[in-house]
Amino acid sequence: MTAKRDFYHPYQPYDIQHDFMNALFACIDQGQIGIFESPTGTGKSLSLICGSLAWLKENQEKVFEHDDESDTTSEPDWIREQAAKERHKVTTLRKIELETRLAGIRREEFRQNERHRTGEPRSKRVRPNDSISASGEDAEAQFVLDDYNSDEDGGTSLNRKADDNGGFSSKSMALMDRLGMISKPSVRSEEMQTEHDVKIFYSSRTHSQLTQFTDEVRRVKLPTLNSMSSADESRPGEVEIEQQIKHLALGSRKNLCINKDVSKLPSALAINERCLELQKPGTPNDHKCSYLPSKENESLVRSFRDHTLAKIRDIEDLADLGKDLGICPYYASRATINVSEIITLPYPLLLQRSAREALDISLKNQIVIIDEAHNLMDAISNMHSITITSHQLKRCKGNIVVYLQKFRNKLKGKNRIYVMQVVRLIDSLIACLESIATKGTAQEGPVKIGELMAGKGVDQINIYKLMHYLKESKLARKVEGYVTYKEEQDAQRNVALESSMPVLTHIQSFFGTLTNPTAEGRFFYSIHEKTVQLRYMVLDPKHHFKEIVEEARAVVLAGGTMSPMEDYIQHLFPYVASASIRTLSCGHVIPNENLIALPMAKGPNGIDFNFTYECRNLTELIDELGECLLELSQIIPDGLVVFFPSYAYMQNVVSRWEASGTQTRTVLELLSAQKPVHRELQDTSGGDDILREYSKNIDAGKGGLLLSVVGGKMSEGINFADKLGRSIIVVGLPFPNIRSTEWKAKLDYIENHAVAEGRSRGDGKSLARDFYENACMRSVNQSIGRAIRHRKDYASIILLDRRYATSRISDKLPGWIKKNLEKSHKTFGEQLEGLKAFYQVERNVML
């Protein structure tokens, strides 16, 4: 029997955690694509950390062996062996010296914290005044366009020194400016340089998820370096040295800016723009940000790097560290990337090539782990899709007019030509949207690119050259900067604050979609409250993810509810051989008897639970649903969470319950008498208050009935552990609106793409149907995954719709739920008796 590998797990792992870590290790070792599902509450984060870290550490040890094997010199074996030993000795001593230095930093920080705890104030670094002021012609000069003399797409085309602050693709400017990830030259000395060892890049959707992951990294302890100390025979009996995982959290300026005059600004956009202003060439030194890394403060950058590596720190910790050291953590963190082992970063910074280039990140031969990946395809599509409105277009043109009124006479040659091309293209888009608004057409529909570019003279515009000009000239930043400056001078409100990004930068990003292949995306219009929106939507996310897959050593998609997995294989990795894709769906850590899953096809009166779009608003069906919940709420203790397919349908149901019932009380009143009823609102601002009241009633012994929506806040990231979720009920199947223009386009694309690859039309329709059903079931699985959060938890999962009893739908449930799903077609009464017995047993067990 093969001995179990040491995964550095801080606890005794469950069997399913061992299975997960071994599968992850093999996936990385063999350079595969991994799709891993492990229910929340089963230690997924620790499994990801320990499985990948174990491979990383083994790989680091193997580097020496590979180096020896690759030595093809004609030297005698004993010389090569001696050279190998010397290399190993030198590298080991470097590790020991690094760990010793980091240990010293940890001890000093501990002493400082102890002094602070006992009342001794921390010493503060005094920095120069960071405020800036500029006025008059000197201030306005920064907004003048440099002369543009070339249409060549390579090389420098401006009469100025190349500036790396904004030389990115059209799409990147909108994202990068908003997120604060535009690259700036950072200080790097030879001491900071290191070989690009394999690293683990971990990405998740939200800042809170990354913070939780960082907390889990802190739990993992590596073995000491005592066994390696013998490499230096002159230092016998050396004390054991603790190894620290080299972790780095990457974030935006909004998270990391420590300049008080900048960080206090009201939006990420304003913070980014002010930061860039402080670094413009020609800005007097007394006006520049004094925290920016430079040749003069290289020692601070190195100190920041060492302090970052000395402890596991999250984004907030890095910001505090920057304040303590007096160095910008946003830019100083660049020096830490190469020497890190685990790097955490949000989706946009990993999935956008321009963001990776700005951070100087190469994924070549790296390990990429994407957590909470159940909506990865949607995230990629949304990240590369963009929406503009007629209002934004008109405001954009107005800003350019304001700019031209001031600088028209200073525009020469190509600058004048290209600025006028921008105006003509904007006019063409405005005319197209106004035509849609006046025709009285449907509320939404497709738009052909020819309609968008039908304006006068637009057919003469080379969009590729125009995009190159916009990138090189930074016209958007010049125009927006001047408009903001002028309004501030006039004491008017900053127009740019109405939007999340500069409007011309946003429109420029949309221009970039006009060059995209039609196979990848489509244009659509929609009318909302007399405002026409124009949207470019990516239909095929694989093109935007393929580069990561081809560069990385291994790519792992992980989540609590990744089923059904076929979508990722067919629509994200269709070009990857099946032998190179590894899937794993873990069971749960709970005993089988702690979960019961029931597909309910009929209600108390024998009425079919047929919540299809055509039938779900029938009054007799809604009344039957009310009676069903009344019966269930009498049996199910504590908290009961009900998920509806949409807010609109939940409102229809509640309205019916408020108007029907017995002669003395409505259905809603009867339900409230059993358990206090709480309802999730579409406005997410009050979600915390609703949860707090729901929890309060359960803690008081009153129980609670929470009406929620699949895909709403309660279905994403909220854990209904123990009494908060003794049952999760799903009403119907939350299929997307198949009549919507965008969903029609998605399904048509899948069908036609299959035909183009040589499959039959029938196969294409089947693939499209599977994709549609899988989108629905991913949402269902995410909602029912809110139950069962730890080994001793118990709950029931009740699926109210006759379609859940069919294999086509039930096969798309996660494995740990499928194995507990009742297969027999029992009556409502029989299922009710089964529930009674289940809760009676579980209550006795918990006593």
Side-chain angles (χ1 to χ4, degrees), residues 502-523:
V503 64
L504 180 51
T505 301
H506 188 59
I507 301 302
Q508 176 181 323
S509 298
F510 185 84
F511 286 172
T513 67
L514 299 174
T515 66
N516 289 352
T518 56
E520 293 182 12
R522 297 284 190 279
F523 294 95

Side-chain angles (χ1 to χ4, degrees), residues 676-709:
V677 177
H678 308 268
R679 182 157 37 130
E680 177 184 355
L681 303 177
Q682 192 161 5
D683 178 10
T684 58
S685 59
D688 292 339
D689 293 335
I690 294 169
L691 271 177
R692 195 176 300 112
E693 194 64 25
Y694 173 69
S695 302
K696 181 180 176 182
N697 283 326
I698 291 173
D699 290 340
K702 300 177 183 178
L705 175 59
L706 179 60
L707 307 182
S708 309
V709 173

Side-chain angles (χ1 to χ4, degrees), residues 49-77:
I49 295 165
C50 296
S52 57
L53 192 62
W55 183 91
L56 192 70
K57 289 300 179 182
E58 283 196 21
N59 181 70
Q60 290 172 355
E61 291 300 314
K62 289 178 181 178
V63 168
F64 296 111
E65 299 173 16
H66 292 317
D67 284 346
D68 297 341
E69 294 170 1
S70 62
D71 188 353
T72 59
T73 64
S74 58
E75 298 289 348
D77 289 346

